[in-house]
Amino acid sequence: MRIYNTMTREIDPVETTHPDVARIYACGPTVYRDAHVGNMRTFLVTDLIARTLRYEGLRTIVVQNITDVGHMADDTGLGDGNESLPGSQDKMLAESEKTGKSALDIARHFESAFHQDLSRLNIYPADHYPKASESIDSMITLIQKLIDSGNAYIGTDNSVYFSAESFPSYGALSGNKLDSLRPGHKFDAEENESAKKFHADWALWKSAGENRTQLTWETPWGRGFPGWHTECSAMSLDLLGESIDIHTGGIDLRFPHHEDERAQSNSATSGDGKSGNHEVVRHWVHAEHLLFETRKMSKSSGNVVLVQDVIDRGYDPLALRLAFMQHKYRSQMNLTWEVIESSQELLDRWRHKVNIWSQSDSQAMDQSVVDEISGYFSQDLNTPMAVNALRTLEKSSDISDGAKFEIFAHLDSLFGLDLAREVGKDLNPTTQIPTEVSELLEQRNAARSAKDWALSDELRDQIAGYGFTVVDTSDGAHLEPTKS
Ligand code: AMP
Ligand code: ZN
């Protein structure tokens, strides 16, 4: 597989440290609210990468963190859909204040909703879902290591800061080099500028003020809580070791979250501590943002859409998955209800056809077609081309129905659309007609024989009430489910 690497700005081959295993770390949700469909599009990218690598024969180990402490409300201007929160507050605590529930109760509630949404979108569960609040010991160990190596120091406010200047290649990932970061450009509103030595330093650990009554821990530097970037270094190093093959997240995380994580992880694992010359992450993958009806999803503009909203409108959540796959993960996508509707129609049609094809004699798959379509996944996740190739295959007159069935069923391990869901479903709807409706049809036939047109029409209307249309043909009347 080849995929765009934010670090090299090239589409690089995925080269794994271990020949048979790909180690993948995905930044997960901040669980103070439901994940919206934009978040889900980013989580889907990790699933598509993992499916492609497994299809190519690798084993995958996927870790996705649950952020339940330390993520401050947005003040970067990039937005995360909840700008109503004050910038200087931990998102979990802000929600706790608003609802009167404990931060951890809120976290467990939205964590479970997140798992449900993943499963609705056929996103395979990760192997590990570490929680920030349960990884404090690892974070303390990491921070101590960075202090010992001279990469971090205790500020005048007893918070621990990472020294950006101690990491010479700072900025290589995002392009935000230290000399271009202006003093006073704050990425964390709560940070105390005067307590740190250099304006681009950031807090690994924050000293807790008296007002903070939840989510604090005792440490060698006093009571406090972790800075957001600390958790991803600590948890990824803990669970995946010092060589991580692929790290994923949304484009907004490139800076400062991933830039800072890279500095922390590389510094903690390079032999001399100072130079940070060991590259922990080999491949950085960032997914572009989703817009809804041309606007950024935000609570204040009332256009945050959840997977549940899609279901409530009668759509299969996998229509959403198909809609996402019809756009390149590296381009912004504008989702609309019309886009979901047309994806639903395509999905319904494919499932119906797969059912019809399944009733033909099975035929061997045409390997060149399979390789072409799976090859699109391997080429920087070109899922739009893969979807188009399935459309072409569907219409092809050169490939038998039996082979089409085999190819669709086989490639569903990549697409994840449950394409064979309707196999075995009765193709003849007349056998599913309720007895009341059959009786009404018989009465209508009798009325027509007696030329009682008024009664016949009335019975036809009664039948329509059950969702069936009477179709009169030269062979007599039969029933079809009414098309909506
Ligand atoms: P959060 O729960 O805010 O920490 O975000 C979880 C993931 O969703 C991160 O990888 C974000 O970069 C990503 N994300 C946030 N907003 C969007 C969006 N509108 N479209 C796509 N991904 C997003
Ligand atoms: Zn992260």
Side-chain angles (χ1 to χ4, degrees):
M1 174 175 209
R2 299 168 70 87
I3 193 159
Y4 186 82
N5 185 351
T6 310
M7 188 67 190
T8 61
R9 279 92 171 141
E10 309 255 3
I11 297 174
D12 288 337
V14 174
E15 283 162 357
T16 56
T17 305
H18 187 286
D20 308 322
V21 184
R23 294 184 173 83
I24 304 174
Y25 185 85
C27 281
T30 310
V31 283
Y32 68 107
R33 56 152 167 83
D34 279 307
H36 54 56
V37 290
N39 302 130
M40 300 314 290
R41 181 187 184 218
T42 291
F43 302 147
L44 174 65
V45 168
T46 310
D47 182 59
L48 292 169
I49 294 172
R51 281 175 185 258
T52 306
L53 293 172
R54 285 196 291 269
Y55 187 86
E56 292 182 356
L58 289 177
R59 196 159 71 77
T60 55
I61 305 175
V62 182
V63 175
Q64 184 165 40
N65 64 302
I66 303 288
T67 300
D68 57 2
V69 58
H71 194 173
M72 294 302 167
D74 188 86
D75 68 331
T76 62
L78 294 166
D80 78 327
N82 204 346
E83 291 74 21
S84 55
L85 299 181
S88 63
Q89 221 179 342
D90 187 313
K91 293 183 181 197
M92 299 302 312
L93 293 186
E95 188 62 21
S96 170
E97 245 171 53
K98 220 164 76 185
T99 58
K101 295 185 182 137
S102 85
L104 287 181
D105 282 350
I106 293 166
R108 296 303 76 92
H109 169 79
F110 289 115
E111 189 186 340
S112 120
F114 159 70
H115 289 302
Q116 186 183 33
D117 282 345
L118 291 182
S119 119
R120 286 160 155 179
L121 286 179
N122 264 356
I123 294 175
Y124 275 121
D127 299 272
H128 305 276
Y129 288 106
K131 302 179 183 76
S133 67
E134 293 176 4
S135 309
I136 301 295
D137 287 348
S138 312
M139 295 194 228
I140 293 174
T141 308
L142 173 77
I143 295 168
Q144 191 58 57
K145 208 168 176 180
L146 291 170
I147 295 175
D148 294 345
S149 62
N151 293 101
Y153 61 91
I154 301 167
T156 55
D157 59 352
N158 289 329
S159 293
V160 184
Y161 292 95
F162 188 93
S163 160
E165 289 169 306
S166 76
F167 186 68
S169 69
Y170 189 84
L173 183 62
S174 64
N176 290 311
K177 297 276 165 62
L178 286 183
D179 47 16
S180 63
L181 288 177
R182 288 170 287 114
H185 187 117
K186 287 174 84 172
F187 280 94
D188 184 336
E190 201 184 53
E191 249 169 39
N192 177 351
E193 288 299 303
S194 59
K196 54 189 188 182
K197 294 181 183 163
F198 181 66
H199 63 268
D201 296 349
W202 65 90
L204 296 169
W205 188 265
K206 296 178 181 178
S207 169
E210 278 170 16
N211 293 341
R212 187 169 169 122
T213 53
Q214 292 180 74
L215 300 177
T216 61
W217 291 265
E218 211 50 69
T219 71
W221 326 287
R223 208 166 174 76
F225 61 102
W228 176 36
H229 321 307
T230 312
E231 64 170 276
C232 285
S233 285
M235 295 191 264
S236 64
L237 290 170
D238 252 11
L239 288 158
L240 293 173
E242 297 188 0
S243 287
I244 296 165
D245 300 309
I246 299 178
H247 192 312
T248 59
I251 193 73
D252 55 309
L253 302 189
R254 190 176 41 175
F255 186 83
H257 186 54
H258 289 163
E259 193 69 64
D260 292 359
E261 181 188 330
R262 172 175 176 266
Q264 296 159 183
S265 298
N266 286 12
S267 301
T269 55
S270 64
D272 60 7
K274 275 282 177 203
S275 59
N277 54 9
H278 170 67
E279 204 64 59
V280 172
V281 173
R282 297 171 74 117
H283 217 114
W284 290 93
V285 176
H286 290 105
E288 251 300 347
H289 268 191
L290 183 82
L291 303 177
F292 195 80
E293 292 178 340
T294 68
R295 286 177 306 154
K296 193 182 80 159
M297 264 182 286
S298 77
K299 256 196 179 162
S300 47
S301 42
N303 72 336
V304 172
V305 177
L306 310 180
V307 175
Q308 186 61 51
D309 297 326
V310 173
I311 294 170
D312 289 347
R313 290 213 181 195
Y315 296 111
D316 181 332
L318 296 181
L320 188 62
R321 182 177 172 112
L322 177 55
F324 291 158
M325 291 176 74
Q326 292 185 71
H327 289 77
K328 195 79 209 282
Y329 79 97
R330 265 199 298 134
S331 304
Q332 262 195 4
M333 174 181 172
N334 179 33
L335 187 69
T336 61
W337 290 113
E338 289 73 36
V339 167
I340 299 175
E341 171 70 33
S342 69
S343 296
Q344 180 73 61
E345 283 167 15
L346 180 59
L347 191 60
D348 288 346
R349 193 177 81 219
W350 278 349
R351 286 178 176 160
H352 181 65
K353 289 206 170 163
V354 168
N355 186 12
I356 295 173
W357 298 331
S358 75
Q359 305 189 9
S360 306
D361 286 344
S362 171
Q363 298 270 319
M365 295 191 293
D366 184 326
Q367 197 58 41
S368 64
V369 176
V370 172
D371 291 347
E372 181 208 334
I373 301 177
S374 62
Y376 289 127
F377 284 81
S378 304
Q379 195 50 45
D380 197 24
L381 281 188
N382 197 342
T383 53
M385 285 294 280
V387 170
N388 279 343
L390 271 197
R391 288 182 200 264
T392 308
L393 170 63
E394 174 198 352
K395 309 243 155 73
S396 165
S397 49
D398 300 335
I399 297 179
S400 68
D401 286 357
K404 285 182 186 175
F405 167 73
E406 295 296 341
I407 299 172
F408 267 67
H410 170 77
L411 287 177
D412 203 35
S413 67
L414 285 168
F415 285 89
L417 294 169
D418 288 359
L419 292 172
R421 187 187 277 177
E422 289 189 9
V423 169
K425 216 172 172 183
D426 199 334
L427 283 170
N428 179 2
T430 51
T431 57
Q432 294 166 6
I433 292 168
T435 33
E436 303 93 290
V437 179
S438 311
E439 282 166 15
L440 287 171
L441 184 66
E442 273 175 35
Q443 289 171 32
R444 181 175 177 275
N445 289 342
R448 278 172 72 86
S449 302
K451 299 199 171 13
D452 186 347
W453 309 119
L455 179 60
S456 161
D457 286 351
E458 191 196 313
L459 289 162
R460 186 197 56 208
D461 292 345
Q462 283 185 37
I463 291 170
Y466 285 90
F468 289 89
T469 304
V470 181
V471 182
D472 291 308
T473 71
S474 51
D475 295 336
H478 68 89
L479 297 170
E480 281 182 3
T482 306
K483 291 194 182 70
S484 51

